[in-house]
Amino acid sequence: MIVQAKDASNADFTIPDETLLDFSLDANGELYGNFIAPDGSQAKSLAGVIYGDANSGKVKYIANGERPDSTVHVGIAVNKSDDTSIKGIGSVVIEEQVIINVEVADKELEPLGSSDNKTNPNYNEDGPDKRTKIIDFSKVAKTTVTVKVTDEKNNPISNYSFTIQALVRQNSGGHDHSDNRPTGRFITPSGAKKSSFEGKTGDDGSAIFTYLSSGIGGIDSIFVRGKSEKDTANAVIKLKMSDFELLKDGEHYNLVGKTTTHPVNHYSTKGTIEKLKKLADLANADSSYILQYNDISLKYGGPFDISKTYLWNTPHNTHREGTNVDMRPWSADAKKRKLNVDYIEKIVNQKLKGQFEEEFKGEPNHHFHLTF
């Protein structure tokens, strides 16, 4: 703190540096801390401090007493030692010292895989869309989240109220769009599943919850806010399949199908990439085909919503684990020749030990579906 001499009109007033001053605290000040004198000693009041030291900030207040449970104002009085009528007052704000930590048991979880689907209740067998599966969000991976609250001395703060919220990092995991992206949820003490709720620490200063992930490949985020805007903490959870590699351009195949919402759609397992390269080399050597590989998986795998029609609940359900590939049924050469179905199927099934399917025959989105 700095003590400055002023006259009745609040203008600066010069007094000798040797002038002696006394310092005192109000009840709050004495309860929550002490003065630190220029010599480093601590006391509830100070007498005979020279003005030169007080004016240069050598008197301090330290909040080393009791811990407040709310913001309080500490009153500080200063008077001339030999004339108590010459005095001034000031204050310092003391806030509850709160340190919040969020601990996540598993910092990496798998997003929903190809088998995590259920029948679409709105499926119409006479409709134009014959894809019948939707995401079963009841099967998302889960983990344990612990919120711990302590003071600056690492003592637990019990019965402390906070808000905990499940968020998600937009445009993560290969999804370059937000559009109401699903978030995770917490199982509350009452058993409800909520993305945000009010929690409270127990006697040990902690609160433990089960966290249900978003199920979407990318970054889930957990945010905690305490009683003040500065009392916050967060943690992140990465939702990803096993490490994928990116299939890059090749001499005997083209990469197609990228969109503004999913600009990189050719992530895959290492084994699948090797077989796709081998398939293209074999097909080109025999028939000079230039194959066209469409969707495989996104960077972290998991649900791949192919269009806004199926936003976050896509029937594109096999493209989650980096092992399924869509391939266009014609070569990218100048003549755009149709591929010989039997020939491609034989290479896939027999030479590469994969699985071959022909999807949507005769329809605009006719393609081959390869699994390795």
Side-chain angles (χ1 to χ4, degrees):
M1 65 188 73
I2 296 175
V3 176
Q4 175 65 57
K6 301 280 186 178
D7 63 17
S9 62
N10 202 38
D12 290 345
F13 185 77
T14 301
I15 62 173
D17 283 348
E18 294 77 19
T19 302
L20 299 181
L21 304 177
D22 296 340
F23 288 74
S24 61
L25 297 169
D26 66 3
N28 277 337
E30 293 188 354
L31 179 64
Y32 296 121
N34 295 278
F35 287 118
I36 300 179
D39 64 2
S41 62
Q42 295 185 22
K44 301 296 182 185
S45 62
L46 300 177
V49 177
I50 64 172
Y51 174 73
D53 285 346
N55 183 246
S56 60
K58 292 183 179 180
V59 176
K60 299 178 175 62
Y61 178 81
I62 180 171
N64 61 350
E66 293 186 23
R67 179 177 57 82
D69 56 9
S70 62
T71 299
V72 297
H73 292 264
V74 170
I76 298 172
V78 182
N79 61 266
K80 194 167 181 258
S81 296
D82 59 1
D83 186 353
T84 57
S85 66
I86 300 175
K87 61 185 178 181
I89 58 173
S91 66
V92 62
V93 176
I94 305 296
E95 295 181 326
E96 179 185 23
Q97 297 296 301
V98 173
I99 301 170
I100 302 175
N101 284 297
V102 182
E103 299 176 358
V104 178
D106 303 287
K107 295 184 179 180
E108 189 170 300
L109 299 171
E110 284 195 352
L112 288 160
S114 299
S115 62
D116 297 323
N117 300 283
K118 61 183 178 181
T119 301
N120 186 343
N122 299 316
Y123 170 62
N124 176 9
E125 64 180 8
D126 297 323
D129 185 5
K130 298 179 176 60
R131 292 165 287 194
T132 65
K133 301 292 184 179
I134 61 174
I135 298 174
D136 187 351
F137 282 99
S138 69
K139 296 181 179 180
V140 296
K142 61 185 179 181
T143 189
T144 300
V145 173
T146 303
V147 177
K148 292 184 177 181
V149 184
T150 63
D151 62 19
E152 72 282 1
K153 297 178 181 179
N154 204 35
N155 298 313
I157 302 177
S158 62
N159 204 37
Y160 182 86
S161 297
F162 59 87
T163 300
I164 187 167
Q165 186 176 10
L167 304 171
V168 68
R169 186 175 297 173
Q170 302 296 353
N171 302 328
S172 64
H175 300 274
D176 278 22
H177 60 106
S178 52
D179 305 289
N180 299 315
R181 180 170 176 154
T183 66
R185 293 159 294 157
F186 302 95
I187 299 179
T188 69
S190 67
K193 298 175 182 177
K194 294 184 177 181
S195 60
S196 178
F197 72 100
E198 299 292 326
K200 185 176 289 187
T201 60
D203 292 339
D204 63 351
S206 67
I208 302 174
F209 309 99
T210 296
Y211 175 73
L212 306 175
S213 65
S214 68
I216 306 295
I219 305 297
D220 278 12
S221 177
I222 297 170
F223 178 74
V224 176
R225 182 187 297 278
K227 296 177 182 178
S228 117
E229 290 189 359
K230 70 178 183 62
D231 297 328
T232 62
N234 71 288
V236 296
I237 300 173
K238 184 181 292 185
L239 269 68
K240 65 189 291 284
M241 292 293 182
S242 59
D243 290 337
F244 287 170
E245 295 183 9
L246 179 62
L247 177 63
K248 298 180 181 179
D249 292 331
E251 182 180 1
H252 301 142
Y253 61 86
N254 290 345
L255 301 178
V256 298
K258 71 176 182 179
T259 64
T260 55
T261 53
H262 304 106
V264 186
N265 57 325
H266 296 102
Y267 278 93
S268 182
T269 64
K270 181 178 180 180
T272 297
I273 285 179
E274 291 175 350
K275 291 186 176 183
L276 289 175
K277 291 179 178 178
K278 184 67 173 178
L279 171 61
D281 290 342
L282 290 171
N284 183 266
D286 290 344
S287 305
S288 67
Y289 286 148
I290 301 296
L291 303 184
Q292 299 185 82
Y293 295 136
N294 200 335
D295 292 338
I296 308 179
S297 289
L298 300 178
K299 183 176 182 179
Y300 287 168
F304 188 160
D305 46 333
I306 57 174
S307 71
K308 289 191 175 182
T309 305
Y310 308 109
L311 199 61
W312 308 118
N313 210 4
T314 169
H316 208 37
N317 60 75
T318 58
H319 293 269
R320 303 185 191 179
E321 298 173 0
T323 58
N324 294 274
V325 186
D326 286 346
M327 188 172 75
R328 290 184 177 174
W330 66 89
S331 172
D333 56 40
K335 295 182 180 180
K336 295 185 178 180
R337 293 172 294 157
K338 287 187 177 181
L339 302 178
N340 184 310
V341 177
D342 293 337
Y343 169 68
I344 297 295
E345 182 176 7
K346 184 177 180 179
I347 297 178
V348 172
N349 291 347
Q350 297 183 16
K351 293 188 177 182
L352 301 178
K353 306 303 180 183
Q355 296 179 358
F356 175 92
E357 294 180 88
E358 192 172 3
E359 299 277 345
F360 305 106
K361 297 178 182 179
E363 294 188 8
N365 58 351
H366 174 217
H367 65 278
F368 301 153
H369 193 215
L370 319 178
T371 303
F372 296 106

